[in-house]
Amino acid sequence: MIVLKNVTLLRGVKPVLDQASATLHPGEKVGLIGRNGAGKSSLFSLLAGRLHPDAGDVEIPPSWLQPGGMAEVAQNMPETDDSATDFVLQGDTRLMKARDDLAKAEAAEDGHAIAEAHAALAEAGHFDASARAQALLLGLGFQIKQTQSPVNSFSGGWRMRLQLARALMCPAQLLLLDEPTNHLDLDALVWLEGWLQRYEGTLIVISHDREFLDAITKVTLHLEDGKLTRYTGGYTAFESLRAERMSQHQAAYEKQQDRISHLNKFIARFKAKASKAKQAQSRVKALERMEKLAPVLTASDFEFEFPAPESLPNPMLSLKELACGYQVDGQAPLTIVSGINRSVLPGQRIGILGANGQGKSTLVKTLAHMMRPISGQVTEGKGLSIGYFAQQELDVLRPDEGPLAHMIRLAKQVSPQAREQELRDFLGRFRFTGDMVMQPVGQFSGGEKARLVLALVVWQRPNLLLLDEPTNHLDLTTREALSIALNEFEGTVMLVSHDRALLREVCDEFWLVAKGAVSTFDGDLDDYQRWLQEQARELALAARAAREADKLASGSPSSSTQSVELPSNRREDRKAQAQARQRVAELTKPLRAELKKVDDRLAAIQLEQEQLNQALMDGSVSGAQHAEVGKRLKALSDEQESLEGRWLELTDEIEQLSAGAAS
């Protein structure tokens, strides 16, 4: 049981917790919610022992504070050549300790200690540990071949998935998850929901995804103004209960104000009359004893709107045989998605679905002029004005400049008449006030950067919104404000997001980006989740069929095929196998050729990254060149992440074709 009693926690002079109290029982799944900056992550640090209360008591079972008793996702990724599987295995601290004890016992030739270590290994699940680690990786979207790839070969988003898998691997009694869904696509998110629903320990999760919270949590802990309030139920139940509680509190406050007014009138009228002085004095004492109720004061909700577009061209966009991907000077272009023939019309609300690496962001970046098309034609309607929200905010923000500098530069392009005070007032609507408008963006939180990007988009008065994961760092209040603003927007919306609530509330049609193409997805998000599950089952069946085919071809049938009679004519059997191999080779030849290009480019990127990093370390880069080197490293990292996604897609297609031909 976790018990917080009148806890005060200060960060600098700011109280994060102010005499807060709460009780959480073993096995409960708790959603910790509150506005950005309320102190949720600080509370996690308090529970993990990295911070200590300035006043009050925090009671946590001692076993939970021992190694392996508590797990959370580490934010810093070590540079290591360990395979993905080994890295995740290291999260099982109980297993790692048993292995270490065995090594020490064997070195000391202590037979008794060796026996105890083997018993500990068995209890820790040593024999199926690798299979469990790989199951976590596959559930989070990794391919089977990637489970043996070195950690250093993965990009930032995939490394965060590795850290999540490592935390899930730990047999902890308390699991702390801070925004675990930010780097997941929908299929991995749905898998994580199922895993957490089966988790038997105590879970506390910070998330701004209301559907995720409703699916996982049965208790909601609300952090507001330094106080913790416990509610029974998920996020939707919390909203209803909180509204009811606030209504009751406000009614009680108004009733008390009426009572106070009545007492004050009595005192004022009769305090000078001797016959009523005693009664008046008793009313004074009643007022002094009365515990005053405060009015319901909540932080003002964040609201904004997109101004009405000046025009609505029809069509907005016309795409003919469009191919999107990466173009590198001196090398053949790398196509991610091709053959796109679609029109985008005024008023459409399009949700773009697909797994990570399939090309969703590549498509959006191409339409937003952030990348050049590989081939084909994009025809824009007359008067088209695009508002682009980048998944990586720093693609459109300058970290060394403040919000006001961003607005001044933008206003010169789209509204030359704007005065500085107008820009300050506009930024104030997005919670950038006072000295904050001059603060470098690089010092901002993820939520603050996202709000600034929203402000820049709104100022441009677009008629086409291209939004790539706009909610990643937004709290629930800001997400709801975004949903309302998008529904009231008169233009067209194209949205990439893993926030199912936003997709349901905003989009009325879906495009599916998969297997190098864009198609219309006929159905809603529930249909899409069922489609994902069907795809996973088909892949599992294909993999099983391929394994059985390999065993049959080698003449060693598995237990499930013991009764199958092998063909008596070995010559015909070998001929059929040779034809199957030839068919696989023909089908996969273009895919393997593209895979080689991807491998070559990834090797070149890694070499250039190593050279640039070495130059930064040995001081051969001058101060003036640091910014350019940083930008180049960022561009290389982005390209690497996209190429890795394409590599996964190609290997998956090759495996599926091979399995199909083998059967």
Side-chain angles (χ1 to χ4, degrees):
M1 181 183 296
I2 298 175
V3 180
L4 282 72
K5 296 180 180 177
N6 300 319
V7 174
T8 295
L9 177 65
L10 302 175
R11 298 306 302 267
V13 297
K14 177 185 177 183
V16 175
L17 296 177
D18 183 11
Q19 294 188 332
S21 299
T23 300
L24 303 177
H25 301 283
E28 286 188 325
K29 293 182 171 64
V30 182
L32 176 59
I33 64 172
R35 296 176 185 273
N36 282 345
K40 301 185 296 295
S41 296
S42 296
L43 178 55
F44 265 24
S45 294
L46 180 68
L47 296 175
R50 293 187 295 274
L51 295 177
H52 301 283
D54 294 281
D57 298 312
V58 178
E59 299 177 7
I60 299 177
S63 62
W64 294 12
L65 299 175
Q66 299 299 317
M70 185 184 303
E72 57 183 332
V73 179
Q75 298 301 310
N76 298 321
M77 193 73 186
E79 292 294 329
T80 175
D81 292 327
D82 290 345
S83 71
T85 298
D86 288 340
F87 180 77
V88 172
L89 271 176
Q90 291 161 19
D92 190 339
T93 51
R94 185 175 61 174
L95 176 62
M96 292 300 103
K97 183 180 184 304
R99 288 184 176 182
D100 186 53
D101 289 345
L102 178 60
K104 290 178 180 178
E106 289 177 340
E109 297 183 353
D110 184 339
H112 182 71
I114 289 173
E116 288 185 342
H118 276 291
L121 281 172
E123 186 178 350
H126 165 73
F127 298 104
D128 67 344
S130 292
R132 287 187 284 117
Q134 290 182 0
L136 291 173
L137 290 169
L138 295 175
L140 290 173
F142 292 84
Q143 299 297 315
I144 189 65
K145 290 183 178 179
Q146 286 183 292
T147 61
Q148 299 305 319
S149 299
V151 168
N152 289 343
S153 67
F154 293 100
S155 59
W158 288 98
R159 291 191 184 195
M160 290 310 300
R161 293 194 190 201
L162 285 172
Q163 288 286 29
L164 176 57
R166 184 178 171 120
L168 300 182
M169 188 69 192
C170 181
Q173 295 166 288
L174 174 61
L175 180 59
L176 305 176
L177 296 180
D178 191 347
E179 291 289 359
T181 65
N182 272 358
H183 298 280
L184 303 182
D185 48 23
L186 270 177
D187 48 350
L189 190 153
V190 171
W191 175 88
L192 179 62
E193 282 182 359
W195 193 96
L196 292 176
Q197 286 166 350
R198 297 188 299 272
Y199 175 65
E200 296 180 355
T202 302
L203 167 69
I204 307 177
V205 57
I206 298 172
S207 177
H208 297 301
D209 185 328
R210 62 186 306 144
E211 290 205 19
F212 179 75
L213 288 171
D214 278 340
I216 301 301
T217 62
K218 302 300 181 185
V219 174
T220 299
L221 200 60
H222 184 216
L223 176 55
E224 183 178 44
D225 297 329
K227 303 296 185 183
L228 289 168
T229 306
R230 177 188 167 107
Y231 295 84
T232 300
Y235 183 79
T236 300
F238 153 76
E239 277 192 320
S240 176
L241 290 169
R242 182 168 181 253
E244 181 180 350
R245 180 176 294 187
M246 290 172 67
S247 176
Q248 291 172 349
H249 183 95
Q250 186 66 19
Y253 168 76
E254 291 171 358
K255 184 177 181 180
Q256 187 183 72
Q257 291 302 300
D258 290 340
R259 173 68 173 159
I260 291 171
S261 177
H262 176 74
L263 290 173
N264 280 327
K265 286 179 181 178
F266 185 94
I267 294 167
R269 179 178 299 174
F270 297 113
K271 66 181 179 181
K273 292 186 178 182
S275 61
K276 296 289 186 181
K278 191 173 182 180
Q279 290 95 326
Q281 188 60 33
S282 70
R283 301 307 195 270
V284 171
K285 291 181 179 178
L287 274 175
E288 291 173 350
R289 290 194 302 267
M290 187 180 294
E291 182 180 351
K292 302 297 190 297
L293 296 176
V296 176
L297 296 175
T298 60
S300 59
D301 288 338
F302 176 63
E303 295 179 348
F304 73 98
E305 62 181 3
F306 294 96
E310 295 181 351
S311 64
L312 291 174
N314 188 12
M316 293 267 185
L317 293 172
S318 179
L319 314 179
K320 294 183 179 179
E321 292 300 324
L322 177 65
C324 308
Y326 289 88
Q327 295 180 334
V328 183
D329 293 340
Q331 297 188 24
L334 179 64
T335 301
I336 305 298
V337 59
S338 61
I340 307 173
N341 292 285
R342 310 189 78 81
S343 294
V344 179
L345 306 176
Q348 280 188 295
R349 298 287 193 272
I350 302 169
I352 304 177
L353 306 176
N356 279 358
Q358 295 293 310
K360 303 187 301 295
S361 293
T362 303
L363 171 61
V364 171
K365 286 181 178 180
T366 302
L367 299 181
H369 305 154
M370 301 294 289
M371 299 172 64
R372 291 176 297 173
I374 297 295
S375 61
Q377 185 176 1
V378 179
T379 303
E380 298 183 352
K382 184 178 181 181
L384 181 71
S385 175
I386 294 175
Y388 171 54
F389 187 105
Q391 180 177 2
Q392 302 295 331
E393 293 92 347
L394 291 182
D395 286 351
V396 293
L397 297 179
R398 299 186 182 184
D400 55 340
E401 294 184 1
L404 184 59
H406 282 82
M407 287 302 305
I408 290 173
R409 184 170 56 256
L410 181 62
K412 288 179 180 178
Q413 300 171 7
V414 299
S415 182
Q417 296 79 22
R419 294 177 293 109
E420 181 176 317
Q421 189 57 49
E422 290 180 75
L423 300 178
R424 286 179 176 270
D425 293 343
F426 178 77
L427 286 170
R429 290 162 49 192
F430 289 84
R431 296 181 181 163
F432 297 105
T433 58
D435 294 338
M436 195 176 184
V437 300
M438 308 301 294
Q439 184 179 344
V441 169
Q443 299 175 12
F444 284 178
S445 68
E448 290 166 338
K449 291 174 185 174
R451 273 191 281 114
L452 179 55
V453 175
L454 278 176
L456 297 176
V457 171
V458 170
W459 183 267
Q460 295 173 62
R461 200 169 184 175
N463 47 33
L464 172 60
L465 289 174
L466 302 175
L467 307 177
D468 191 357
E469 295 290 358
T471 64
N472 262 359
H473 300 286
L474 299 181
D475 59 25
L476 280 158
T477 301
T478 311
R479 289 186 185 208
E480 289 165 4
L482 175 62
S483 176
I484 293 170
L486 290 176
N487 277 308
E488 294 177 350
F489 178 56
E490 296 177 10
T492 298
V493 177
M494 298 181 71
L495 173 63
V496 177
S497 179
H498 65 262
D499 186 326
R500 288 163 294 180
L502 185 67
L503 288 168
R504 290 184 202 277
E505 292 163 4
V506 172
C507 300
D508 48 31
E509 61 181 292
F510 294 100
W511 291 2
L512 177 63
V513 182
K515 298 182 179 179
V518 177
S519 59
T520 298
F521 184 82
D522 295 322
D524 57 18
L525 283 182
D526 294 329
D527 295 322
Y528 179 63
Q529 289 184 202
R530 285 189 287 270
W531 178 81
L532 287 173
Q533 293 166 352
E534 290 170 4
Q535 294 293 303
R537 282 195 294 269
E538 289 177 7
L539 287 174
L541 289 173
R544 184 182 303 171
R547 289 194 297 270
E548 297 296 341
D550 289 341
K551 290 176 181 178
L552 282 172
S554 63
S556 56
S558 66
S559 59
S560 61
T561 57
Q562 292 293 333
S563 62
V564 176
E565 294 184 6
L566 296 176
S568 57
N569 192 329
R570 294 293 181 181
R571 181 178 300 176
E572 291 181 4
D573 192 19
R574 287 194 297 270
K575 182 178 179 181
Q577 292 175 18
Q579 290 174 343
R581 288 193 297 271
Q582 181 65 29
R583 187 164 63 253
V584 170
E586 291 173 355
L587 288 171
T588 60
K589 183 177 180 180
L591 296 175
R592 293 184 186 279
E594 184 179 349
L595 187 63
K596 185 178 185 307
K597 288 183 181 180
V598 174
D599 279 329
D600 292 342
R601 179 55 190 157
L602 284 171
I605 288 174
Q606 186 174 0
L607 177 61
E608 186 175 354
Q609 287 173 328
E610 291 172 354
Q611 292 171 342
L612 290 174
N613 284 320
Q614 184 60 41
L616 289 171
M617 292 175 61
D618 61 24
S620 60
V621 177
S622 67
Q625 295 173 319
H626 267 275
E628 291 302 320
V629 171
K631 290 179 182 177
R632 181 57 181 162
L633 284 170
K634 175 68 167 61
L636 289 171
S637 177
D638 290 345
E639 184 184 354
Q640 182 184 43
E641 183 167 3
S642 182
L643 288 173
E644 288 171 346
R646 183 56 180 163
W647 187 93
L648 293 173
E649 179 185 349
L650 289 167
T651 53
D652 187 47
E653 287 188 40
I654 291 171
E655 289 173 1
Q656 290 185 55
L657 288 171
S658 300
S663 60

